Amino acid sequence: RSAVAPAVLAFKEAHSGQPTREWAALGKLLSWLVNGGRETDESQEPPFLLYGLRVTGRVDIDSLSRYHDVMTHLEHTLTPSLEPLEPASSVTERCHARIGLMGNPSDGFHGKTVSMTLGSFYAEVVVTPSERLCLVSHPEHDPTEFESLLEYHRHASLVGYYGGLRLLQATCNKFAALCLQAGVPQERLSHNFTMSYDTNIPRMVGLSGSSAIVTAAFKALMRFYKLDVLQDLHIPRPVLPQVILDVEMGELGITAGLQDRVVQCYGGGGHLDF
């Protein structure tokens, strides 16, 4: 207390030649003390630092109306960043199988095709909050245990070495890359999740089972993180099928086309002319 009074008197004396409204504020006093009894010069470093940090964002409040203005400003600029994000909730997304009615493959019809989705067959992806990010393999489509070597041989000969798990992995990786590219704040992606899938779409019969899993997973991630494909990722809706295609072609090297993804992203049926 004995050191405060002399400092205040020295501060008052240093500003005696100025109008009171120009210096009689607590912020002015603190700034003057921090800068070693000098006025703040933004072009120069202060003589010493307070706790090793520069005092930034200083606000001088010299009246009640000024206090009200400052608090209103801080309420609008700080509150959104300080409020905790709402806990994420479970999300379930479905994407239906696609069948080509005419022009499949479209190369034989000069790029024209008529396609539609099938309501009875679909892929379903479920995303639930969890402490760590976990991608769950499907017991039927991603088996890792077999009764015998011959059983594994029959399985691999029938469906190959690829299941749906790699589709989830590729979708998550592509989704994260798009979020970073679009500048989505990392705080909005802070919630972890467990992602699982199921599908009743027959394999290897041209019903677009893999793209259905990717589309459902991508839409589930959008809903889980409460993002809008246009406003947050800056992806127009007509471009979304290309994004889904990029997951399979770019991430996994799967040869595919836009016909399946366009119909599955929009739903229903449509006439496509490539």
Side-chain angles (χ1 to χ4, degrees), residues 22-39:
E22 297 291 336
W23 59 268
L26 180 59
K28 289 283 189 178
L29 171 61
L30 293 177
S31 176
W32 186 79
L33 292 174
V34 168
N35 286 281
R38 300 179 183 179
E39 291 299 320

Side-chain angles (χ1 to χ4, degrees), residues 48-96:
F48 62 89
L49 304 180
L50 182 61
Y51 297 107
L53 299 173
R54 292 198 62 179
V55 177
T56 60
R58 175 176 56 83
V59 178
D60 295 325
I61 302 176
D62 54 6
S63 66
L64 184 60
S65 60
R66 175 63 173 159
Y67 172 80
H68 179 269
D69 294 340
V70 170
M71 294 306 296
T72 301
H73 170 74
L74 294 178
E75 181 180 358
H76 285 85
T77 56
L78 294 183
T79 302
S81 62
L82 295 177
E83 289 181 346
L85 296 175
E86 295 182 2
S89 56
S90 298
V91 171
T92 300
E93 276 287 345
R94 284 184 177 181
C95 181
H96 293 88

Side-chain angles (χ1 to χ4, degrees), residues 7-27:
V8 173
L9 292 175
F11 171 73
K12 182 178 180 181
E13 182 178 354
H15 297 83
S16 59
Q18 303 177 16
T20 304
R21 64 176 181 273
E22 297 291 336
W23 59 268
L26 180 59

Side-chain angles (χ1 to χ4, degrees), residues 98-116 259-260 270-274:
R98 186 275 324 168
I99 185 172
L101 296 180
M102 299 178 62
N104 189 28
S106 61
D107 294 346
F109 296 82
H110 306 287
K112 297 179 176 62
T113 179
V114 176
S115 302
M116 62 178 292
Q259 177 188 168
D260 309 352
H271 168 244
L272 311 178
D273 187 352
F274 296 105

Side-chain angles (χ1 to χ4, degrees), residues 127-128 130 132-135 172 192-195 221 224-225:
V127 179
T128 58
S130 58
R132 296 179 60 83
L133 193 148
C134 180
L135 304 179
C172 290
N192 284 330
F193 59 84
T194 294
M195 176 182 285
L221 288 172
F224 181 78
Y225 287 112

